[in-house]
Amino acid sequence: MINKRIKQNPFEQYEDVADGFNDMLDVLHPYFKAETAGGLDLGTHGTVYDKKIRDVEAFLRPLWGLGPFLTQNDSPFLAEYMDGIIAGTNPKHPNYWGIVQDFDQRIVEMASLSTLFLLNKEKTWLKLTKEQKINVHAWLIQANDHEIPANNWHFFRILVNSAMKVCDMPYDQEQIEKDFALIETFYLGDGWYCDGVQTQIDYYVSFAIHYYSLLYTKLMPEDETRCQRFKDRAIQFAQTFQYWFSATGAAVPFGRSLSYRFAQVSFFSALVFADVEALPWGEIKGIISRHLHHWMQQDIFTPEGLLSVGYYYQNLVFAEGYNAPGSPYWAFKTFLLLAVPKDHPYWQSEVQPLQMKTLKNPHPISRNYYQHNRDLTHALMFPAGQFINNQSHASSKYSKFVYSSIFGNSVPKSNYKYYEGNFDNCLALSEDDRFFRTKELDHAYDIRSDRIVHEWHPWTDVRIRSTIVPLEGCHVRIHEVQSARPLYLYEGGFSTPQGQSEIIQKKERAAVKNRVGESSVESILGFDESGVVRTEPNTNLLFPATLLPYLKVKRASGNYVLVSVITGLLPHECTQPVDIKQSSGQLTIKQSEEQIVVALAGGQDENEQGDK
């Protein structure tokens, strides 16, 4: 069981962070067994790789925290880890980690082991015998001989070769240069990368590409030009990435690998480790400490105290095929802070509140439009042109109209029946009112100063132009539909937890009010009914059971326009009236002093960007 004190941990001083790390590490102790040295059996659910590799992953991932901790502290876990490393890299030992294949998960796990050696050569590498060093080198250097995905994985190979270089073992500098050259092709500008494909810009930019870049700058400073470039990009990146967080410490759940949870903030830990003050130290400290404290209030631990697969609670429904029982310990990357000297100005600084230059921040390079409410307690992201193939629930994780730090987002149990899909914040389409489709990759898109425009084709003979206009406390959705087939169309709002909720339902409006706030949908044009559906359990990332307000219409084939106002408010916020008028082929949207005119073009603007 996890130590209950962790809920009160402010994660502000070095000792706070060390205590939180040790509280989470200590629960692993019963899983270390001599007969299974080099592996931890933390659960039974399956993955795309076999159980032995799952156990190796579970053993190695905590090193993301233990490695930094050991730079300034001793740990009883070190001896057990050294025994496991010696066994796992010995081809004559029954627990040998095995011969690596192309695209092998074990290459991923080589990164934490390599970082352990880079940070603690004296305590780890120099304690090995000559034969043991040869075995470790032989196992790690296999990474150079195998094909890997064209994404952040290439940094794993860089870390392996860098570690062997520091440990005075054979390494391949040419391979390092090739890997860096490929990573360079991911760079988009303004500090942002994609993770191999331009339609994937998610947390991997922060907790993978930038994280490893900053590790490299600290551990391989002799590569001056490259290191300075990485630092400059990290500074640029931080100015926008801070918009992924709210003043409460919560981050916006977006993209894949969300089971890694508080790894979301590990980029900022890497900034401190690399001594890059991209934001004032007090602001960085506030982001990290609030985030870690926020996560400790969620149900992220199993009864045994292990980090579970899930987000705010244990949940396999939304998990990827590579999420094993030990996978969540990727979150320990944030504990890189423990390698930061205790006299560093970060530890001496006072926690500062979140700072935003503007409440709305359209950012085409990261393919997102960012928005916060007035007190910064609600962070929203309106993505465009994002999607990945061959991943579970890709449209739900990348292609919804909006993602929220308060209401989260949902994935479907199936596309059969609307309640099983929990199609929040998307337009769900069906030919028979049973099987549904939603937006995947945009055919074309545009991120403007006051709106986000999507053009998408759910069928080859159905074209939809969706214009999203962010306003205070709500946003307007305008769908211009050209369809050669009759359709049922559902407009979903924000999912919100069941329980003590007030449900409001009228013909043109449906709303749910509860402890989280208010979620409502209102028809302005085109919809003919509203409702609130009790969705399938365990589909929302934040709440195990939710209610979803929606609008619905059945339309014959033809061209038509649907307009709605979608509201997501916190309990202390009030609705800001929105006035929408249609005339002469355009909509005029007014809220307070703001007025936005949207032309109902029905075609593609010359300013729109399409994926070629």
Side-chain angles (χ1 to χ4, degrees):
M1 179 180 293
I2 196 74
N3 193 317
K4 292 182 179 179
R5 69 176 180 174
I6 204 167
K7 286 184 175 292
Q8 282 71 50
N9 193 326
F11 290 97
E12 293 180 3
Q13 302 306 319
Y14 185 95
E15 292 73 18
D16 299 334
V17 179
D19 285 346
F21 163 69
N22 280 313
D23 285 345
M24 284 183 257
L25 186 67
D26 285 347
V27 299
L28 293 175
H29 192 266
Y31 297 89
F32 284 84
K33 298 178 175 64
E35 63 271 20
T36 58
L40 295 180
D41 184 356
L42 302 184
T44 59
H45 72 265
T47 54
V48 294
Y49 43 93
D50 65 30
K51 185 182 185 307
K52 182 171 182 177
I53 298 178
R54 293 197 294 271
D55 291 352
V56 173
E57 176 190 79
F59 176 79
L60 290 174
R61 288 211 168 179
L63 290 177
W64 284 119
L66 184 60
F69 181 76
L70 288 170
T71 62
Q72 301 183 79
N73 308 273
D74 294 322
S75 172
F77 281 89
L78 178 57
E80 293 179 289
Y81 263 100
M82 292 305 293
D83 288 344
I85 292 166
I86 291 168
T89 56
N90 181 359
K92 298 178 182 179
H93 196 282
N95 297 337
Y96 177 54
W97 291 336
I99 298 173
V100 170
Q101 308 297 321
D102 290 345
F103 306 105
D104 198 311
Q105 182 68 27
R106 285 168 290 195
I107 296 175
V108 178
E109 312 316 323
M110 289 177 180
S112 62
L113 179 57
S114 298
T115 302
L116 174 74
F117 294 137
L118 284 164
L119 291 172
N120 301 280
K121 180 180 178 181
E122 291 76 15
K123 286 185 177 181
T124 58
W125 183 261
L126 295 183
K127 300 296 184 182
L128 299 173
T129 67
K130 181 178 180 181
E131 181 181 3
Q132 290 165 351
K133 290 176 181 177
I134 292 172
N135 286 342
V136 171
H137 172 269
W139 188 78
L140 284 172
I141 213 69
Q142 292 179 92
N144 287 343
D145 300 324
H146 293 283
E147 189 174 353
I148 58 177
N151 58 17
N152 70 89
W153 279 44
H154 284 260
F155 254 116
F156 304 146
R157 203 151 56 192
I158 291 169
L159 288 172
V160 166
N161 282 285
S162 296
M164 293 300 93
K165 177 181 179 180
V166 167
C167 293
D168 302 311
M169 297 295 284
Y171 69 98
D172 191 337
Q173 184 64 39
E174 183 179 355
Q175 185 64 66
I176 291 176
E177 296 302 327
K178 287 180 180 178
D179 289 326
F180 271 131
L182 180 66
I183 292 165
E184 192 64 24
T185 67
F186 304 159
Y187 188 64
L188 303 173
D190 201 28
W192 283 84
Y193 295 82
C194 65
D195 190 24
V197 292
Q198 290 194 350
T199 57
Q200 184 185 355
I201 305 172
D202 53 22
Y203 281 105
Y204 275 88
V205 181
S206 65
F207 62 44
I209 297 176
H210 271 295
Y211 185 92
Y212 305 133
S213 296
L214 290 165
L215 264 181
Y216 186 85
T217 66
K218 186 71 170 182
L219 300 173
M220 308 297 289
E222 64 273 16
D223 193 353
E224 294 182 12
T225 301
R226 181 176 282 132
C227 289
Q228 189 59 52
R229 182 165 66 246
F230 287 158
K231 291 178 181 180
D232 292 342
R233 289 177 179 177
I235 292 170
Q236 289 180 293
F237 176 74
Q239 313 312 309
T240 310
F241 185 56
Q242 63 179 320
Y243 281 85
W244 292 47
F245 299 84
S246 77
T248 68
V252 179
F254 174 76
R256 67 188 180 105
S257 297
L258 293 178
S259 276
Y260 300 161
R261 294 189 176 100
F262 51 90
Q264 291 168 327
V265 83
S266 60
F267 161 74
F268 292 101
S269 295
L271 283 177
V272 185
F273 174 73
D275 201 28
V276 178
E277 194 173 7
L279 301 171
W281 290 129
E283 290 183 29
I284 293 177
K285 191 172 190 176
I287 292 172
I288 294 173
S289 61
R290 287 188 298 268
H291 185 73
L292 287 170
H293 181 75
H294 171 81
W295 271 113
M296 296 310 112
Q297 313 313 308
Q298 315 310 322
D299 292 327
I300 64 176
F301 300 107
T302 69
E304 298 80 13
L306 301 175
L307 284 170
S308 66
V309 173
Y311 199 65
Y312 273 16
Y313 61 96
Q314 191 168 353
N315 184 348
L316 287 177
V317 174
F318 91 105
E320 288 84 20
Y322 53 82
N323 288 164
S327 296
Y329 286 90
W330 184 279
F332 275 20
K333 283 185 167 186
T334 299
F335 292 125
L336 185 59
L337 271 182
L338 296 173
V340 176
K342 297 176 184 179
D343 61 354
H344 190 279
Y346 172 85
W347 298 116
Q348 316 310 317
S349 65
E350 296 293 327
V351 168
Q352 297 297 318
L354 192 66
Q355 302 289 332
M356 296 296 175
K357 294 180 180 178
T358 177
L359 297 181
K360 294 182 179 180
N361 182 9
H363 195 258
I365 290 177
S366 63
R367 299 196 179 202
N368 253 308
Y369 189 115
Y370 306 101
Q371 182 182 23
H372 281 74
N373 62 349
R374 292 187 182 186
D375 63 6
L376 308 183
T377 55
H378 190 186
L380 298 130
M381 289 167 39
F382 300 82
Q386 295 221 46
F387 189 76
I388 56 175
N389 293 314
N390 304 319
Q391 292 287 342
S392 61
H393 307 304
S395 61
S396 296
K397 295 175 180 178
Y398 290 89
S399 300
K400 293 191 175 186
F401 295 128
V402 62
Y403 294 80
S404 161
S405 65
I406 295 296
F407 298 96
N409 61 286
S410 305
V411 300
K413 279 276 186 74
S414 77
N415 70 342
Y416 178 75
K417 294 294 187 181
Y418 190 68
Y419 79 93
E420 288 194 4
N422 199 349
F423 298 113
D424 54 3
N425 288 315
C426 51
L427 186 67
L429 315 170
S430 176
E431 295 181 276
D432 56 8
D433 207 16
R434 294 189 299 164
F435 294 94
F436 288 86
R437 296 187 182 192
T438 59
K439 184 173 76 68
E440 295 183 346
L441 179 61
D442 295 317
H443 177 73
Y445 72 93
D446 193 13
I447 298 175
R448 307 181 191 177
S449 62
D450 60 1
R451 73 195 71 174
I452 306 96
V453 182
H454 308 267
E455 182 186 323
W456 50 293
H457 301 167
W459 289 270
T460 56
D461 58 357
V462 178
R463 176 188 182 275
I464 302 176
R465 178 186 173 94
S466 296
T467 301
I468 315 300
V469 181
L471 300 170
E472 184 176 352
C474 64
H475 61 276
V476 176
R477 297 181 193 168
I478 304 163
H479 304 293
E480 300 170 71
V481 183
Q482 299 175 6
S483 177
R485 63 183 71 198
L487 291 171
Y488 294 86
L489 302 100
Y490 288 72
E491 184 77 276
F494 293 97
S495 288
T496 190
Q498 297 178 23
Q500 296 181 341
S501 296
E502 176 189 0
I503 297 176
I504 302 167
Q505 188 172 340
K506 301 178 181 179
K507 180 179 180 181
E508 75 287 350
R509 179 173 180 264
V512 180
K513 296 183 179 181
N514 53 32
R515 61 177 175 83
V516 171
E518 176 183 344
S519 170
S520 72
V521 294
E522 181 178 2
S523 174
I524 304 300
L525 179 66
F527 296 100
D528 58 18
E529 67 175 279
S530 71
V532 175
V533 63
R534 186 185 300 269
T535 60
E536 186 72 7
N538 306 317
T539 49
N540 186 272
L541 274 63
L542 272 58
F543 314 111
T546 58
L547 299 170
L548 175 63
Y550 67 89
L551 303 170
K552 178 183 177 182
V553 66
K554 179 183 180 182
R555 296 296 299 256
S557 60
N559 300 344
Y560 44 92
V561 179
L562 307 174
V563 182
S564 61
V565 176
I566 311 298
T567 300
L569 295 173
L570 278 65
H572 67 276
E573 296 179 308
C574 298
T575 302
Q576 301 296 316
V578 178
D579 180 62
I580 302 176
K581 288 185 171 59
Q582 180 181 12
S583 62
S584 304
Q586 67 182 29
L587 291 175
T588 301
I589 302 168
K590 293 183 179 180
Q591 186 188 56
S592 300
E593 302 300 315
E594 187 173 18
Q595 176 173 305
I596 298 170
V597 177
V598 177
L600 302 177
Q604 180 171 322
D605 284 359
E606 60 182 8
N607 292 327
E608 283 190 341
Q609 304 171 39
D611 288 301
K612 303 301 182 183

